Amino acid sequence: MRCSTTSAVAAAIAAAISFAPQSATAAEPEKIVDALGTVFGKHKARASGAKGQCVTGMFTPTADARQLTKSASFQKPIPVLGRFSMGGGNPKAPDTAKPLVRGFAFKLDPNGTTPSEFVMVNAPVNFAKTPAQMFGFLEARFPADGKQDPEKIKAFAAANPETTRQGAWLTSKPVPASYAGVSYWGIHAYTMTNTAGQAQLMKFKLVPTGGEAGLTDDEAKAKPADFLVAELTDRIAKKAPAGFDVMAIVGEAGDPTNDPTMTWRDEDKRKTVKLGTIAITAIEKNETCDAGIFDPTNLADGLAGPKDDPMFLPRQPAYAISLTRRAN
Ligand code: HEM
């Protein structure tokens, strides 16, 4: 798999500099990257999702996907470059931690002319509604004399109850036994448009083809801190299912698109349409993923992100700024 090029890095930085946010100040993505560094310490890894593993595979779309979108990413089988990660900026985060999100970032047709990119986590909601709230969440965790202040964290949570929803979701679930044994959500509301010009509001959910695999708290305690990559390597070697059905959760008129801390009404009972299947077929050297970013705003025509979700567009400049920091 070809590495992202220097010109891709330059383009990402240029886009970050020219970024014109909707409801955030231009400084916010950089402030957040700095804040992640203050909470997790400065290092040469990603500011978030610091610990992870690059992988490759294939995406095979369904005929139903072609009915919903004209996007080049959903017309024929195409390669996938992906990266699984542990949430947060600790490059040594233990794989047994319960309250940390597991992430799955991936590009459909990474070396093609019209790739689509996604950065998903194993929760249906985000922990902040706006970049300013994300900054506040991090600021409440800034260490003083090397220690976080639990009272400050508690006070922020009490004043911003929606920031506790993601953590509550994660702690209500078992520790994932595999990066390929848990569901991931795109969280944001997307719109798919087909060749007839019909638009459909939807959210993405990835459902593991081998089923959910969780650990009890005691089983998790007995696992080494870095078991997830070994498990995935073994799963792929055995040709056990290591992939995801890509599902569209079908949106309805009036569904909000501006709040990533909320699920839609009865979201888990909604009609879903299978858009295709991702099969992870190989572990890839991390340098391939580390050479660039996964930019969730880069989507092949026929698929669009939300226009009014304040968390969507700032992701590109934040990821590009983080890339420059880890490259220097
Ligand atoms: C729904 C909202 C979001 C979700 C689900 C999310 C999830 C993730 C995940 C899974 C990663 C790891 C990516 C990888 O493996 O390459 C990541 C990286 C990161 N996120 Fe987010 N994120 C969200 C919003 C944001 C926002 C709004 C900001 C800042 C404005 C931000 C800042 C970062 C940074 C700086 C990185 C490191 C990027 C890199 O160095 O490649 N995130 N995020």
Side-chain angles (χ1 to χ4, degrees), residues 32-33 36 46-49 83 85 103 105 119-121 126 134 187-188 294 311 314-315 318-319 322 326:
I32 289 173
V33 177
L36 284 161
R46 282 168 175 71
S48 182
R83 184 175 181 272
S85 60
V119 185
M120 305 191 179
V121 292
N126 192 40
M134 182 170 176
I187 295 183
H188 304 291
F294 291 87
M311 290 300 276
R315 298 181 69 180
Y319 297 3
S322 171
R326 54 187 159 90

Side-chain angles (χ1 to χ4, degrees), residues 36-98:
L36 284 161
T38 306
V39 173
F40 293 104
K42 306 244 181 320
H43 46 64
K44 291 226 163 204
R46 282 168 175 71
S48 182
K51 178 180 177 184
Q53 180 59 53
C54 197
V55 294
T56 56
M58 284 298 289
F59 172 60
T60 307
T62 59
D64 285 345
R66 289 193 290 277
Q67 299 293 315
L68 281 172
T69 176
K70 62 183 177 185
S71 165
S73 304
F74 294 86
Q75 305 308 314
K76 59 177 195 321
I78 46 177
V80 176
L81 176 68
R83 184 175 181 272
F84 291 106
S85 60
M86 294 295 296
N90 176 5
K92 296 202 169 114
D95 295 351
T96 51
K98 205 175 212 188

